């Protein structure tokens, strides 16, 4: 299952469908965005995908797009429970998100809010979850050194003025995430209107493999 958080128009959900993700949960806190995202997913995802606008357990784990209303600035465990319910109670193999804070320093309830939310959403490779979540076998590794395409990842697009990397990784070695790569928006032609360097960055985080 893959989560598109802050889906907006649903373009990321469409891209995930076309990449053949079995279950896609597209979430936004704006009702208008949900309607638009669902319409775009229904019109542009492959024909063998079903699109549902629900808050609750998915009726199927194959080729499904669930469009869910959730405010990720609410307490992390609450927001995570709503999102996981839309994927049948399972955690996600990958999370993508865009402008989750949107230059609002008051968006999070605590300095670890975003990290705690992502920690509750993403599967842990080669370990059993403490709750009733199910872990996809494709994320299980038998070698702590293994880092490949199946390693759980988070991809966030954000303003360079938002301290997203510190919010996710933190200051301690015990963080559940490591920064794998930071990509400037310049690489995608996202320069400012004045032609200056991009104000946006793509940060890719991964969950370390647990032996």
């Amino acid at each position: 299952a893959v989560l598109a958080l802050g889906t907006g128009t649903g373009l990321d959900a469409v891209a995930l469908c076309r990449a053949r993700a079995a279950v896609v949960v597209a979430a936004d806190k704006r009702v208008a965005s949900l309607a638009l995202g669902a319409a775009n997913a229904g019109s542009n995802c492959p024909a063998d995908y079903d699109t549902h606008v629900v808050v609750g357990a998915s009726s199927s784990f194959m080729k499904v797009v669930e469009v869910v209303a959730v405010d990720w600035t609410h307490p992390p465990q609450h927001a995570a429970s709503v999102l996981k319910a839309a994927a049948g109670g399972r955690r996600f193999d990958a999370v993508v998100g865009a402008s989750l804070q949107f230059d609002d320093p008051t968006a999070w309830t605590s300095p670890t809010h975003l990290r705690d939310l992502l920690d509750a959403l993403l599967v842990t490779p080669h370990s059993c979850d403490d709750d009733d979540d199910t872990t996809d076998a494709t994320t299980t590794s038998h070698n702590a050194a293994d880092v490949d395409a199946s390693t759980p990842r988070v991809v966030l697009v954000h303003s360079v003025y938002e301290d997203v990397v510190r919010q996710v990784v933190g200051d301690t070695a015990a963080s559940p995430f490591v920064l794998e790569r930071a990509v400037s928006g310049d690489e995608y032609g996202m320069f400012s209107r004045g032609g200056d360097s991009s104000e946006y960055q793509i940060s890719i985080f991964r969950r370390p493999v647990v032996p």
Side-chain angles (χ1 to χ4, degrees):
V2 182
L3 171 63
L5 193 57
T7 189
T9 62
L11 179 61
D12 46 7
V14 172
L16 292 167
C17 289
R18 293 187 175 184
R20 308 307 293 176
V23 178
V24 177
V25 174
D28 207 286
K29 55 186 179 181
R30 296 177 177 85
V31 175
S33 294
L34 288 177
L36 180 58
N40 280 332
S43 299
N44 297 291
C45 285
D48 56 348
Y49 279 79
D50 292 324
T51 301
H52 308 284
V53 182
V54 299
V55 177
S58 169
S59 59
S60 170
F61 293 120
M62 295 302 294
K63 300 185 177 68
V64 170
V65 182
E66 301 283 14
V67 184
V68 182
V70 64
D71 189 341
W72 50 84
T73 64
H74 287 174
Q77 291 299 329
H78 170 74
S81 67
V82 174
L83 291 164
K84 288 186 292 186
R90 70 199 315 189
R91 295 195 187 205
F92 296 91
D93 302 296
V95 177
V96 298
S99 299
L100 300 181
Q101 189 175 2
F102 206 64
D103 290 328
D104 180 4
T106 65
W108 310 125
T109 58
S110 75
T112 63
H113 183 118
L114 181 57
R115 184 190 324 158
D116 294 342
L117 175 62
L118 296 173
D119 189 30
L121 289 171
L122 206 66
V123 297
T124 301
H126 192 59
S127 71
C128 295
D129 293 326
D130 294 332
D131 49 25
D132 293 331
D133 302 338
T134 57
T135 302
D136 193 323
T138 60
T139 64
T140 302
S141 172
H142 298 288
N143 185 341
D146 287 346
V147 177
D148 55 27
S150 66
T151 301
R153 285 179 170 83
V154 175
V155 180
L156 300 179
V157 181
H158 57 91
S159 165
V160 296
Y161 303 114
E162 298 167 0
D163 198 12
V164 170
V165 173
R166 181 181 293 273
Q167 291 171 7
V168 175
V169 176
D171 300 317
T172 69
S175 172
F177 299 101
V178 295
L179 178 66
E180 186 171 64
R181 187 182 178 199
V183 183
S184 170
D186 293 356
E187 295 191 24
Y188 295 90
M190 297 173 63
F191 299 104
S192 69
R193 294 177 183 177
D196 299 323
S197 184
S198 177
E199 297 179 349
Y200 284 91
Q201 175 177 306
I202 301 171
S203 296
I204 304 172
F205 306 91
R206 63 177 172 83
R207 168 96 81 178
V209 177
V210 178

